[in-house]
Amino acid sequence: MPRVRTKPTYSLRAKAIGLLLASASVWVMAGAASAQDTSGLRGAIRPGSEATDPQATGATQAPPAYVPVSPGAVPDEPPADTPGQPRGSLFPQDAGDTASFNGDLPVPAARPPSTARDRKRAQQEAPARANTRDTRSGEPAQDQGNDTTGTVRAEPIGPAERIGVPDDAGRVEAIEVLDGRTEPENPYAPLGIRVGTFILRPTIEQGVTVTSNANYSVDGKGAVLSETTLRLNAISDWSQHSATLDAYGVFRRSLSGYELEDSRIGAVAALNLDISEELQGRGTLEYLRLPETASSPVVIEGTASDPIHQTFSGSLGLDKDVGKARFGITGRVVRDVYGDADLSDGETLSQKDRNATLVTGLLRAGYEISPAITPFVEIEGGRQFYDEKVDSAGYRRSSDRYGARAGVELDLSEKLTGEFAGGWIREKFDDDRLVPIEGPTLSALLTWSPERETTVNIEAATTVEGTTTAGESGSILHAVQVGVERQVRANLTANAKLGVGYRNYADSDSHDVLYNAEVGATWWLNRYAGITGRLRHDGQQSNIEGRAYTANSVFLGLKVQR
């Protein structure tokens, strides 16, 4: 037969247990509502909580448990309640707030006040905390002294100190490399030789020159020449002061064609002394030896070889800075010595009456408008003494010299440095029969770097040239030369030069125009040796008959450096 399900029956004991459980539930819910009405919830409920009003919905829902951002920030199991230990809010409105947002979460670890103001506040609020009752137990909270619970409000940060460039700071150089990398060393640059406290950089150049005018004369002839050039650069390695030396010698000898054997030698030594922070001393010594060619203002006809002209010069100076004012004084001595001329007929012509010594003094005053620009004015005065008071033609050629110039010193870091100036000069002879030499002057010595690995040198000078030609006073030569050097590659350097000169003869409309141009390159095989070559053109045009000439040459050789 099919089994019939019957309605279960309950015993009296089961009914009693159910009634007891229902009564307990009602009593617990009433107690919870009473506690909520009396204690209240301090602080705003965190947004996102799902707690609702029991009167609106008829039910309550506990807020979600706090979950720390970093695992391990709170213990996995809440610690047992300690009698008298308050439980503070996770988002307190004040350091003394002890209201609990979620009573099931532990109180953050207390930390001492961070400032004196916080410590004073903690001491003042200690009695208040002592009278505060625990929200869970209802017992007075014990005084924690300076142990503040919850988050401590930090002291506001005061006004920051002004950060900037000090008023007395100098000009700041441009940052060349922003990524911190330095320029690699040129693997073909000379290493130099250390001798004591100096670093020497010698260079030897040996090659062959093919020229259309071997001695730069009006009727010059072509030749194939062996050309040797020796150069020496020395610079001091001192912690204070500095010294430099630049010397060269060029020796030429004929291999075929026109017979020629000559030399050109020059040297410049300079010493700079840092006497004090505002006082500097300087000195120079110079020497120049070269043959007189057709470009000389004095031409001796019928010579078998070119006579030698030597120049010795030296200077001493002091520079003084007074605030932004710049003052300088320089004394200079120049000695010219002319060798005897060997004539084609076997005789010798003495040129002792051309030997002279020039002594001059210069005063300079300038004012620094900025670290890059310093205008200045300069006055010059001196006298030239001839060894022969009366020359072979009966003229007294000793003279007094006066001059004035105005210019600008430039210091634009690595871009442009040097100075240029213009003015007027006058030289009056002891013999009234000779017309004074006077005219404008130009001087410049500038180094310009328009871009990396490119250097432009600009030189300009005005020279007063004497003569012993009867009835003539002399001439003024204005010369300008521009040189460009470009490092095309680490092992390839190219260069070019262009020079122009204008000679004006005193009390005459006679003049000479001199010019030269040169291009060259050096290809380095390694750090010590390279192949070098150049093309050069020299010329002179004049309205004086018999002074014009041209010369073209090409050179190819080997350069060795250390």
Side-chain angles (χ1 to χ4, degrees):
M1 290 183 64
R3 189 174 180 176
V4 179
R5 298 183 60 181
T6 60
K7 186 175 181 179
T9 60
Y10 297 94
S11 62
L12 181 60
R13 179 179 298 177
K15 292 180 179 180
I17 293 174
L19 181 60
L20 182 61
L21 293 175
S23 301
S25 300
V26 173
W27 182 80
V28 169
M29 293 178 63
S34 176
Q36 183 176 3
D37 293 339
T38 57
S39 63
L41 179 63
R42 296 185 62 183
I45 297 178
R46 184 175 61 180
S49 173
E50 298 298 333
T52 58
D53 187 355
Q55 297 180 358
T57 61
T60 60
Q61 184 175 357
Y66 170 73
V67 179
V69 177
S70 302
V74 296
D76 294 336
E77 296 295 333
D81 292 346
T82 302
Q85 177 71 29
R87 304 176 70 86
S89 171
L90 294 178
F91 305 93
Q93 302 299 321
D94 198 298
D97 192 354
T98 58
S100 175
F101 173 73
N102 189 341
D104 294 335
L105 295 179
V107 179
R111 64 181 180 181
S114 59
T115 63
R117 182 177 178 181
D118 292 333
R119 289 194 295 269
K120 184 175 181 181
R121 180 190 299 174
Q123 293 176 358
Q124 293 175 352
E125 295 179 353
R129 287 198 304 269
N131 296 329
T132 304
R133 293 181 175 274
D134 192 305
T135 56
R136 292 175 58 89
S137 63
E139 297 295 329
Q142 296 183 5
D143 185 13
Q144 301 300 318
N146 293 334
D147 296 336
T148 305
T149 60
T151 303
V152 177
R153 177 177 296 170
E155 190 71 17
I157 300 176
E161 182 179 358
R162 183 177 67 89
I163 300 176
V165 179
D167 296 335
D168 58 349
R171 181 160 54 95
V172 180
E173 301 294 338
I175 300 175
E176 296 292 341
V177 183
L178 297 179
D179 58 4
R181 295 178 295 179
T182 58
E183 290 295 322
E185 179 186 0
N186 185 352
Y188 300 93
L191 295 175
I193 304 172
R194 177 174 290 276
V195 178
T197 59
F198 282 82
I199 299 177
L200 308 182
R201 292 184 175 88
T203 302
I204 301 176
E205 185 178 279
Q206 177 62 54
V208 176
T209 298
V210 179
T211 178
S212 62
N213 191 340
N215 62 346
Y216 300 97
S217 61
V218 176
D219 55 353
K221 299 178 180 179
V224 177
L225 308 173
S226 171
E227 184 171 323
T228 304
T229 303
L230 305 178
R231 297 183 184 275
L232 175 63
N233 172 264
I235 185 171
S236 63
D237 187 15
W238 304 338
S239 59
Q240 189 179 12
H241 315 306
S242 64
T244 60
L245 172 65
D246 287 292
Y248 72 92
V250 181
F251 307 91
R252 301 193 306 168
R253 183 177 181 181
S254 296
L255 298 178
S256 65
Y258 181 79
E259 291 293 332
L260 178 70
E261 185 173 353
D262 65 8
S263 61
R264 292 173 173 83
I265 300 174
V268 178
L271 174 64
N272 296 313
L273 301 176
D274 298 326
I275 301 174
S276 66
E277 186 176 355
E278 297 181 348
L279 182 62
Q280 296 81 36
R282 46 188 167 77
T284 61
L285 290 174
E286 300 180 36
Y287 174 73
L288 181 62
R289 180 186 184 276
L290 73 164
E292 285 194 287
T293 63
S295 61
S296 172
V298 177
V299 178
I300 302 174
E301 297 181 357
T303 58
S305 62
D306 296 328
I308 300 299
H309 175 202
Q310 300 183 79
T311 301
F312 305 83
S313 64
S315 67
L316 291 174
L318 289 175
D319 294 325
K320 174 68 175 179
D321 298 342
V322 181
K324 291 189 176 182
R326 305 288 182 262
F327 300 98
I329 181 172
T330 305
R332 183 177 178 83
V333 178
V334 180
R335 171 71 174 171
D336 289 305
V337 178
Y338 296 86
D340 296 339
D342 296 327
L343 303 180
S344 56
D345 58 4
E347 296 184 3
T348 301
L349 177 63
S350 175
Q351 297 194 94
K352 289 183 179 180
D353 57 351
R354 296 180 64 188
N355 298 341
T357 302
L358 174 65
V359 180
T360 59
L362 294 90
L363 295 176
R364 173 182 288 197
Y367 187 81
E368 182 184 286
I369 296 178
S370 71
I373 302 176
T374 303
F376 67 88
V377 293
E378 188 176 66
I379 59 175
E380 175 186 358
R383 182 170 175 81
Q384 183 161 248
F385 303 91
Y386 275 80
D387 293 356
E388 303 280 345
K389 291 186 178 181
V390 179
D391 64 12
S392 57
Y395 289 90
R396 293 179 290 114
R397 294 193 173 271
S398 295
S399 59
D400 296 324
R401 178 178 295 187
Y402 305 96
R405 286 173 289 276
V408 177
E409 293 182 18
L410 300 175
D411 185 7
L412 303 178
S413 185
E414 297 180 356
K415 287 296 182 182
L416 180 62
T417 59
E419 67 178 48
F420 67 91
W424 191 267
I425 196 169
R426 174 182 173 88
E427 187 166 317
K428 185 179 184 304
F429 298 95
D430 293 347
D431 199 318
D432 295 336
R433 294 176 296 174
L434 299 175
V435 178
I437 301 175
E438 59 181 344
T441 63
L442 177 65
S443 62
L445 185 60
L446 298 170
T447 300
W448 175 40
S449 180
E451 61 181 14
R452 189 180 298 275
E453 310 299 346
T454 301
T455 303
V456 180
N457 294 312
I458 303 173
E459 299 180 24
T462 296
T463 306
V464 178
E465 301 172 319
T467 182
T468 55
T469 304
E472 295 185 5
S473 300
S475 58
I476 294 181
L477 175 64
H478 309 279
V480 179
Q481 179 171 281
V482 179
V484 181
E485 183 173 342
R486 170 72 176 175
Q487 186 173 340
V488 182
R489 298 175 55 185
N491 65 336
L492 180 60
T493 303
N495 59 79
K497 293 180 181 180
L498 178 63
V500 178
Y502 181 83
R503 176 180 289 119
N504 183 31
Y505 292 89
D507 194 29
S508 171
D509 59 355
S510 300
H511 62 269
D512 299 333
V513 178
L514 299 87
Y515 51 88
N516 63 76
E518 177 181 305
V519 293
T522 301
W523 177 38
W524 294 100
L525 304 175
N526 51 47
R527 189 186 289 271
Y528 306 102
I531 299 175
T532 183
R534 56 181 173 266
L535 299 172
R536 184 177 178 89
H537 173 76
D538 293 88
Q540 176 174 277
Q541 300 296 326
S542 177
N543 60 359
I544 302 176
E545 186 178 355
R547 289 187 56 82
Y549 74 90
T550 58
N552 298 304
S553 61
V554 57
F555 171 85
L556 182 63
L558 178 68
K559 180 184 290 186
V560 179
Q561 68 178 6
R562 180 69 173 86

